[in-house]
Amino acid sequence: MKIEIKPVKRTNVSNEVFEKLKQMLLRGDIKPGEKFPSENELADAFGVSRMTARQAVQKLVVLGLLETKLGEGSFVKKVQPGIVMNQIIPAVYLGENSLLEILEFRTVIEGKTANIAAARATEEDIAELEEICEKMQNCKGNEIEFAHADMDFHLKLAMITKNSIFEQIYHIIRDAMKIAIEEIVNMNGNVDGLYYHPLILQAIKEHDGKKAEDVMTEHVESTYNKILEYKNRKDKK
């Protein structure tokens, strides 16, 4: 197998090699299951050191684009939609503004997620949502358990969409969402969750996408505004 690779410039060599190889894989220049060029072959092709080539390969392995087999070399893995979004993981732990940033993200995406889920939900999906809502009701006196059930509801909606990118996004930010929802329940209590989730569930049961989207959007925007107000009051003290 011959691959056309042009030597790279000497500025930011390691990153440039990594980016070029990553784009080759995402374009499908080397097919899943095929053997990836060795470090020596990459070093010669790019005009870089073997160490630079090795670092680029290691990044691709971490990213999930390559897998290394002992004694055989590296092989191309099948690229799943959203797999390179693993790079955003550090960005959802940004410190004091991360909660508001996650909520801003949710105001954009959660309404549409609920809309699509309403159209695609099966009876089994609805039964699982009902179980989650029942759990929320039963553990309303336990903030941590309630927050986890709240998060499960939103993750389940993403899975119901059957859209692999939606699922990837939610799984990537799962831990950040878990922390965020715990903080939201701690600040805001569980009244909103107990009010909005049954309404969203009812819209899902009716397969009413617009209603599900409108209620979800109102829910997330209300939460965002309350947390923003809470933080503003706290900052003034």
Side-chain angles (χ1 to χ4, degrees), residues 190-218:
N190 55 31
V191 175
D192 281 1
L194 292 171
Y195 172 73
Y196 282 108
H197 285 81
L199 295 178
I200 297 166
L201 173 58
Q202 185 58 41
I204 299 292
K205 287 181 177 180
E206 296 169 359
H207 299 288
D208 188 336
K210 185 178 186 307
K211 181 179 177 182
E213 180 172 355
D214 289 346
V215 176
M216 177 66 84
T217 300
E218 180 182 328

PDB file of all heavy atoms in Angstrom, residues 190-218:
ATOM      1  N   ASN A 190     -35.490  20.195  44.085  1.00  0.00           N
ATOM      2  CA  ASN A 190     -35.975  19.256  43.079  1.00  0.00           C
ATOM      3  C   ASN A 190     -37.380  19.569  42.564  1.00  0.00           C
ATOM      4  O   ASN A 190     -37.973  18.769  41.849  1.00  0.00           O
ATOM      5  CB  ASN A 190     -35.935  17.821  43.610  1.00  0.00           C
ATOM      6  CG  ASN A 190     -36.718  17.691  44.919  1.00  0.00           C
ATOM      7  OD1 ASN A 190     -37.692  18.395  45.163  1.00  0.00           O
ATOM      8  ND2 ASN A 190     -36.273  16.787  45.777  1.00  0.00           N
ATOM      9  N   VAL A 191     -37.918  20.731  42.959  1.00  0.00           N
ATOM     10  CA  VAL A 191     -39.289  21.082  42.565  1.00  0.00           C
ATOM     11  C   VAL A 191     -39.436  21.143  41.056  1.00  0.00           C
ATOM     12  O   VAL A 191     -40.381  20.583  40.475  1.00  0.00           O
ATOM     13  CB  VAL A 191     -39.715  22.418  43.204  1.00  0.00           C
ATOM     14  CG1 VAL A 191     -41.102  22.836  42.690  1.00  0.00           C
ATOM     15  CG2 VAL A 191     -39.739  22.301  44.718  1.00  0.00           C
ATOM     16  N   ASP A 192     -38.501  21.819  40.380  1.00  0.00           N
ATOM     17  CA  ASP A 192     -38.578  21.937  38.916  1.00  0.00           C
ATOM     18  C   ASP A 192     -38.481  20.572  38.245  1.00  0.00           C
ATOM     19  O   ASP A 192     -39.212  20.283  37.293  1.00  0.00           O
ATOM     20  CB  ASP A 192     -37.465  22.846  38.392  1.00  0.00           C
ATOM     21  CG  ASP A 192     -37.788  24.323  38.581  1.00  0.00           C
ATOM     22  OD1 ASP A 192     -38.871  24.624  39.132  1.00  0.00           O
ATOM     23  OD2 ASP A 192     -36.959  25.168  38.196  1.00  0.00           O
ATOM     24  N   GLY A 193     -37.562  19.743  38.738  1.00  0.00           N
ATOM     25  CA  GLY A 193     -37.403  18.420  38.149  1.00  0.00           C
ATOM     26  C   GLY A 193     -38.666  17.589  38.266  1.00  0.00           C
ATOM     27  O   GLY A 193     -39.074  16.909  37.312  1.00  0.00           O
ATOM     28  N   LEU A 194     -39.297  17.646  39.429  1.00  0.00           N
ATOM     29  CA  LEU A 194     -40.526  16.885  39.651  1.00  0.00           C
ATOM     30  C   LEU A 194     -41.690  17.442  38.831  1.00  0.00           C
ATOM     31  O   LEU A 194     -42.624  16.697  38.508  1.00  0.00           O
ATOM     32  CB  LEU A 194     -40.878  16.894  41.138  1.00  0.00           C
ATOM     33  CG  LEU A 194     -39.923  16.111  42.045  1.00  0.00           C
ATOM     34  CD1 LEU A 194     -40.244  16.361  43.509  1.00  0.00           C
ATOM     35  CD2 LEU A 194     -39.980  14.621  41.732  1.00  0.00           C
ATOM     36  N   TYR A 195     -41.621  18.708  38.493  1.00  0.00           N
ATOM     37  CA  TYR A 195     -42.697  19.318  37.697  1.00  0.00           C
ATOM     38  C   TYR A 195     -42.519  19.052  36.205  1.00  0.00           C
ATOM     39  O   TYR A 195     -43.450  18.605  35.517  1.00  0.00           O
ATOM     40  CB  TYR A 195     -42.737  20.821  37.951  1.00  0.00           C
ATOM     41  CG  TYR A 195     -43.690  21.570  37.042  1.00  0.00           C
ATOM     42  CD1 TYR A 195     -45.072  21.477  37.222  1.00  0.00           C
ATOM     43  CD2 TYR A 195     -43.208  22.359  35.987  1.00  0.00           C
ATOM     44  CE1 TYR A 195     -45.956  22.152  36.378  1.00  0.00           C
ATOM     45  CE2 TYR A 195     -44.083  23.039  35.150  1.00  0.00           C
ATOM     46  CZ  TYR A 195     -45.449  22.939  35.345  1.00  0.00           C
ATOM     47  OH  TYR A 195     -46.311  23.597  34.509  1.00  0.00           O
ATOM     48  N   TYR A 196     -41.313  19.282  35.698  1.00  0.00           N
ATOM     49  CA  TYR A 196     -41.105  19.245  34.245  1.00  0.00           C
ATOM     50  C   TYR A 196     -40.969  17.839  33.667  1.00  0.00           C
ATOM     51  O   TYR A 196     -41.455  17.567  32.568  1.00  0.00           O
ATOM     52  CB  TYR A 196     -39.873  20.067  33.861  1.00  0.00           C
ATOM     53  CG  TYR A 196     -40.128  21.556  33.841  1.00  0.00           C
ATOM     54  CD1 TYR A 196     -39.612  22.397  34.817  1.00  0.00           C
ATOM     55  CD2 TYR A 196     -40.885  22.139  32.819  1.00  0.00           C
ATOM     56  CE1 TYR A 196     -39.834  23.769  34.795  1.00  0.00           C
ATOM     57  CE2 TYR A 196     -41.111  23.504  32.775  1.00  0.00           C
ATOM     58  CZ  TYR A 196     -40.592  24.316  33.772  1.00  0.00           C
ATOM     59  OH  TYR A 196     -40.833  25.670  33.740  1.00  0.00           O
ATOM     60  N   HIS A 197     -40.298  16.942  34.371  1.00  0.00           N
ATOM     61  CA  HIS A 197     -40.042  15.627  33.778  1.00  0.00           C
ATOM     62  C   HIS A 197     -41.310  14.830  33.454  1.00  0.00           C
ATOM     63  O   HIS A 197     -41.390  14.225  32.382  1.00  0.00           O
ATOM     64  CB  HIS A 197     -39.080  14.822  34.660  1.00  0.00           C
ATOM     65  CG  HIS A 197     -37.663  15.297  34.561  1.00  0.00           C
ATOM     66  ND1 HIS A 197     -37.196  16.383  35.267  1.00  0.00           N
ATOM     67  CD2 HIS A 197     -36.611  14.863  33.830  1.00  0.00           C
ATOM     68  CE1 HIS A 197     -35.933  16.592  34.976  1.00  0.00           C
ATOM     69  NE2 HIS A 197     -35.545  15.683  34.101  1.00  0.00           N
ATOM     70  N   PRO A 198     -42.318  14.832  34.322  1.00  0.00           N
ATOM     71  CA  PRO A 198     -43.562  14.147  33.933  1.00  0.00           C
ATOM     72  C   PRO A 198     -44.226  14.775  32.715  1.00  0.00           C
ATOM     73  O   PRO A 198     -44.835  14.056  31.904  1.00  0.00           O
ATOM     74  CB  PRO A 198     -44.443  14.300  35.188  1.00  0.00           C
ATOM     75  CG  PRO A 198     -43.477  14.431  36.310  1.00  0.00           C
ATOM     76  CD  PRO A 198     -42.337  15.235  35.744  1.00  0.00           C
ATOM     77  N   LEU A 199     -44.113  16.101  32.562  1.00  0.00           N
ATOM     78  CA  LEU A 199     -44.683  16.764  31.388  1.00  0.00           C
ATOM     79  C   LEU A 199     -43.946  16.349  30.114  1.00  0.00           C
ATOM     80  O   LEU A 199     -44.566  16.119  29.064  1.00  0.00           O
ATOM     81  CB  LEU A 199     -44.609  18.291  31.551  1.00  0.00           C
ATOM     82  CG  LEU A 199     -45.449  18.907  32.677  1.00  0.00           C
ATOM     83  CD1 LEU A 199     -45.229  20.420  32.722  1.00  0.00           C
ATOM     84  CD2 LEU A 199     -46.927  18.598  32.466  1.00  0.00           C
ATOM     85  N   ILE A 200     -42.640  16.257  30.217  1.00  0.00           N
ATOM     86  CA  ILE A 200     -41.841  15.814  29.063  1.00  0.00           C
ATOM     87  C   ILE A 200     -42.189  14.365  28.726  1.00  0.00           C
ATOM     88  O   ILE A 200     -42.369  14.007  27.556  1.00  0.00           O
ATOM     89  CB  ILE A 200     -40.336  15.960  29.360  1.00  0.00           C
ATOM     90  CG1 ILE A 200     -39.977  17.426  29.572  1.00  0.00           C
ATOM     91  CG2 ILE A 200     -39.504  15.359  28.220  1.00  0.00           C
ATOM     92  CD1 ILE A 200     -38.605  17.652  30.197  1.00  0.00           C
ATOM     93  N   LEU A 201     -42.295  13.540  29.761  1.00  0.00           N
ATOM     94  CA  LEU A 201     -42.655  12.138  29.563  1.00  0.00           C
ATOM     95  C   LEU A 201     -44.012  12.014  28.874  1.00  0.00           C
ATOM     96  O   LEU A 201     -44.176  11.205  27.953  1.00  0.00           O
ATOM     97  CB  LEU A 201     -42.683  11.407  30.903  1.00  0.00           C
ATOM     98  CG  LEU A 201     -43.200   9.963  30.883  1.00  0.00           C
ATOM     99  CD1 LEU A 201     -42.381   9.096  29.946  1.00  0.00           C
ATOM    100  CD2 LEU A 201     -43.204   9.382  32.292  1.00  0.00           C
ATOM    101  N   GLN A 202     -44.980  12.819  29.281  1.00  0.00           N
ATOM    102  CA  GLN A 202     -46.305  12.762  28.666  1.00  0.00           C
ATOM    103  C   GLN A 202     -46.234  13.125  27.188  1.00  0.00           C
ATOM    104  O   GLN A 202     -46.889  12.497  26.340  1.00  0.00           O
ATOM    105  CB  GLN A 202     -47.263  13.711  29.396  1.00  0.00           C
ATOM    106  CG  GLN A 202     -48.704  13.652  28.914  1.00  0.00           C
ATOM    107  CD  GLN A 202     -49.303  12.260  29.040  1.00  0.00           C
ATOM    108  OE1 GLN A 202     -49.070  11.570  30.037  1.00  0.00           O
ATOM    109  NE2 GLN A 202     -50.065  11.842  28.037  1.00  0.00           N
ATOM    110  N   ALA A 203     -45.427  14.136  26.856  1.00  0.00           N
ATOM    111  CA  ALA A 203     -45.262  14.532  25.450  1.00  0.00           C
ATOM    112  C   ALA A 203     -44.611  13.408  24.649  1.00  0.00           C
ATOM    113  O   ALA A 203     -44.964  13.169  23.490  1.00  0.00           O
ATOM    114  CB  ALA A 203     -44.429  15.810  25.356  1.00  0.00           C
ATOM    115  N   ILE A 204     -43.660  12.701  25.259  1.00  0.00           N
ATOM    116  CA  ILE A 204     -43.010  11.563  24.604  1.00  0.00           C
ATOM    117  C   ILE A 204     -44.043  10.464  24.349  1.00  0.00           C
ATOM    118  O   ILE A 204     -44.087   9.859  23.271  1.00  0.00           O
ATOM    119  CB  ILE A 204     -41.855  11.011  25.464  1.00  0.00           C
ATOM    120  CG1 ILE A 204     -40.774  12.073  25.697  1.00  0.00           C
ATOM    121  CG2 ILE A 204     -41.252   9.759  24.807  1.00  0.00           C
ATOM    122  CD1 ILE A 204     -39.990  12.478  24.499  1.00  0.00           C
ATOM    123  N   LYS A 205     -44.880  10.198  25.351  1.00  0.00           N
ATOM    124  CA  LYS A 205     -45.918   9.178  25.204  1.00  0.00           C
ATOM    125  C   LYS A 205     -46.857   9.505  24.046  1.00  0.00           C
ATOM    126  O   LYS A 205     -47.330   8.618  23.329  1.00  0.00           O
ATOM    127  CB  LYS A 205     -46.738   9.060  26.497  1.00  0.00           C
ATOM    128  CG  LYS A 205     -46.027   8.396  27.646  1.00  0.00           C
ATOM    129  CD  LYS A 205     -46.964   8.336  28.859  1.00  0.00           C
ATOM    130  CE  LYS A 205     -46.338   7.625  30.019  1.00  0.00           C
ATOM    131  NZ  LYS A 205     -47.248   7.575  31.200  1.00  0.00           N
ATOM    132  N   GLU A 206     -47.147  10.795  23.885  1.00  0.00           N
ATOM    133  CA  GLU A 206     -48.059  11.245  22.829  1.00  0.00           C
ATOM    134  C   GLU A 206     -47.337  11.389  21.489  1.00  0.00           C
ATOM    135  O   GLU A 206     -47.960  11.737  20.484  1.00  0.00           O
ATOM    136  CB  GLU A 206     -48.686  12.575  23.226  1.00  0.00           C
ATOM    137  CG  GLU A 206     -49.566  12.493  24.470  1.00  0.00           C
ATOM    138  CD  GLU A 206     -49.974  13.861  25.004  1.00  0.00           C
ATOM    139  OE1 GLU A 206     -49.555  14.877  24.409  1.00  0.00           O
ATOM    140  OE2 GLU A 206     -50.696  13.904  26.017  1.00  0.00           O
ATOM    141  N   HIS A 207     -46.030  11.168  21.499  1.00  0.00           N
ATOM    142  CA  HIS A 207     -45.196  11.361  20.299  1.00  0.00           C
ATOM    143  C   HIS A 207     -45.377  12.766  19.734  1.00  0.00           C
ATOM    144  O   HIS A 207     -45.397  12.974  18.516  1.00  0.00           O
ATOM    145  CB  HIS A 207     -45.515  10.300  19.239  1.00  0.00           C
ATOM    146  CG  HIS A 207     -45.248   8.897  19.714  1.00  0.00           C
ATOM    147  ND1 HIS A 207     -43.978   8.400  19.881  1.00  0.00           N
ATOM    148  CD2 HIS A 207     -46.100   7.896  20.076  1.00  0.00           C
ATOM    149  CE1 HIS A 207     -44.043   7.149  20.319  1.00  0.00           C
ATOM    150  NE2 HIS A 207     -45.325   6.815  20.456  1.00  0.00           N
ATOM    151  N   ASP A 208     -45.497  13.727  20.659  1.00  0.00           N
ATOM    152  CA  ASP A 208     -45.675  15.136  20.290  1.00  0.00           C
ATOM    153  C   ASP A 208     -44.325  15.834  20.418  1.00  0.00           C
ATOM    154  O   ASP A 208     -43.954  16.320  21.489  1.00  0.00           O
ATOM    155  CB  ASP A 208     -46.714  15.776  21.209  1.00  0.00           C
ATOM    156  CG  ASP A 208     -47.098  17.195  20.779  1.00  0.00           C
ATOM    157  OD1 ASP A 208     -46.278  17.849  20.093  1.00  0.00           O
ATOM    158  OD2 ASP A 208     -48.217  17.634  21.120  1.00  0.00           O
ATOM    159  N   GLY A 209     -43.589  15.878  19.313  1.00  0.00           N
ATOM    160  CA  GLY A 209     -42.238  16.418  19.331  1.00  0.00           C
ATOM    161  C   GLY A 209     -42.172  17.879  19.712  1.00  0.00           C
ATOM    162  O   GLY A 209     -41.305  18.292  20.490  1.00  0.00           O
ATOM    163  N   LYS A 210     -43.084  18.676  19.180  1.00  0.00           N
ATOM    164  CA  LYS A 210     -43.062  20.114  19.469  1.00  0.00           C
ATOM    165  C   LYS A 210     -43.312  20.371  20.950  1.00  0.00           C
ATOM    166  O   LYS A 210     -42.643  21.199  21.571  1.00  0.00           O
ATOM    167  CB  LYS A 210     -44.104  20.859  18.635  1.00  0.00           C
ATOM    168  CG  LYS A 210     -44.039  22.378  18.823  1.00  0.00           C
ATOM    169  CD  LYS A 210     -45.037  23.092  17.955  1.00  0.00           C
ATOM    170  CE  LYS A 210     -44.851  24.603  18.049  1.00  0.00           C
ATOM    171  NZ  LYS A 210     -44.854  25.116  19.444  1.00  0.00           N
ATOM    172  N   LYS A 211     -44.287  19.658  21.509  1.00  0.00           N
ATOM    173  CA  LYS A 211     -44.590  19.825  22.932  1.00  0.00           C
ATOM    174  C   LYS A 211     -43.394  19.404  23.779  1.00  0.00           C
ATOM    175  O   LYS A 211     -43.029  20.100  24.736  1.00  0.00           O
ATOM    176  CB  LYS A 211     -45.821  19.004  23.303  1.00  0.00           C
ATOM    177  CG  LYS A 211     -46.237  19.124  24.763  1.00  0.00           C
ATOM    178  CD  LYS A 211     -47.485  18.290  25.023  1.00  0.00           C
ATOM    179  CE  LYS A 211     -47.884  18.324  26.488  1.00  0.00           C
ATOM    180  NZ  LYS A 211     -49.078  17.472  26.750  1.00  0.00           N
ATOM    181  N   ALA A 212     -42.784  18.275  23.435  1.00  0.00           N
ATOM    182  CA  ALA A 212     -41.618  17.799  24.185  1.00  0.00           C
ATOM    183  C   ALA A 212     -40.488  18.819  24.119  1.00  0.00           C
ATOM    184  O   ALA A 212     -39.830  19.102  25.130  1.00  0.00           O
ATOM    185  CB  ALA A 212     -41.150  16.453  23.633  1.00  0.00           C
ATOM    186  N   GLU A 213     -40.274  19.378  22.931  1.00  0.00           N
ATOM    187  CA  GLU A 213     -39.209  20.378  22.767  1.00  0.00           C
ATOM    188  C   GLU A 213     -39.501  21.634  23.562  1.00  0.00           C
ATOM    189  O   GLU A 213     -38.623  22.178  24.244  1.00  0.00           O
ATOM    190  CB  GLU A 213     -39.044  20.724  21.282  1.00  0.00           C
ATOM    191  CG  GLU A 213     -37.955  21.747  21.028  1.00  0.00           C
ATOM    192  CD  GLU A 213     -37.667  21.953  19.547  1.00  0.00           C
ATOM    193  OE1 GLU A 213     -38.255  21.231  18.715  1.00  0.00           O
ATOM    194  OE2 GLU A 213     -36.837  22.830  19.226  1.00  0.00           O
ATOM    195  N   ASP A 214     -40.738  22.107  23.498  1.00  0.00           N
ATOM    196  CA  ASP A 214     -41.094  23.345  24.194  1.00  0.00           C
ATOM    197  C   ASP A 214     -40.963  23.202  25.706  1.00  0.00           C
ATOM    198  O   ASP A 214     -40.414  24.083  26.384  1.00  0.00           O
ATOM    199  CB  ASP A 214     -42.537  23.747  23.847  1.00  0.00           C
ATOM    200  CG  ASP A 214     -42.676  24.235  22.412  1.00  0.00           C
ATOM    201  OD1 ASP A 214     -41.641  24.520  21.780  1.00  0.00           O
ATOM    202  OD2 ASP A 214     -43.824  24.330  21.938  1.00  0.00           O
ATOM    203  N   VAL A 215     -41.452  22.078  26.247  1.00  0.00           N
ATOM    204  CA  VAL A 215     -41.378  21.874  27.694  1.00  0.00           C
ATOM    205  C   VAL A 215     -39.930  21.712  28.140  1.00  0.00           C
ATOM    206  O   VAL A 215     -39.509  22.284  29.151  1.00  0.00           O
ATOM    207  CB  VAL A 215     -42.210  20.645  28.117  1.00  0.00           C
ATOM    208  CG1 VAL A 215     -42.040  20.394  29.625  1.00  0.00           C
ATOM    209  CG2 VAL A 215     -43.680  20.848  27.787  1.00  0.00           C
ATOM    210  N   MET A 216     -39.151  20.934  27.387  1.00  0.00           N
ATOM    211  CA  MET A 216     -37.751  20.736  27.745  1.00  0.00           C
ATOM    212  C   MET A 216     -36.980  22.047  27.698  1.00  0.00           C
ATOM    213  O   MET A 216     -36.179  22.360  28.602  1.00  0.00           O
ATOM    214  CB  MET A 216     -37.097  19.716  26.810  1.00  0.00           C
ATOM    215  CG  MET A 216     -35.607  19.496  27.075  1.00  0.00           C
ATOM    216  SD  MET A 216     -35.280  18.735  28.675  1.00  0.00           S
ATOM    217  CE  MET A 216     -35.524  17.006  28.245  1.00  0.00           C
ATOM    218  N   THR A 217     -37.203  22.833  26.647  1.00  0.00           N
ATOM    219  CA  THR A 217     -36.508  24.111  26.520  1.00  0.00           C
ATOM    220  C   THR A 217     -36.863  25.037  27.672  1.00  0.00           C
ATOM    221  O   THR A 217     -35.990  25.695  28.253  1.00  0.00           O
ATOM    222  CB  THR A 217     -36.866  24.784  25.177  1.00  0.00           C
ATOM    223  OG1 THR A 217     -36.461  23.923  24.099  1.00  0.00           O
ATOM    224  CG2 THR A 217     -36.163  26.129  25.041  1.00  0.00           C
ATOM    225  N   GLU A 218     -38.149  25.085  28.015  1.00  0.00           N
ATOM    226  CA  GLU A 218     -38.582  25.909  29.153  1.00  0.00           C
ATOM    227  C   GLU A 218     -37.911  25.439  30.442  1.00  0.00           C
ATOM    228  O   GLU A 218     -37.461  26.250  31.256  1.00  0.00           O
ATOM    229  CB  GLU A 218     -40.105  25.819  29.295  1.00  0.00           C
ATOM    230  CG  GLU A 218     -40.655  26.654  30.459  1.00  0.00           C
ATOM    231  CD  GLU A 218     -42.158  26.512  30.595  1.00  0.00           C
ATOM    232  OE1 GLU A 218     -42.851  26.329  29.574  1.00  0.00           O
ATOM    233  OE2 GLU A 218     -42.647  26.588  31.757  1.00  0.00           O
TER     234      GLU A 218
END
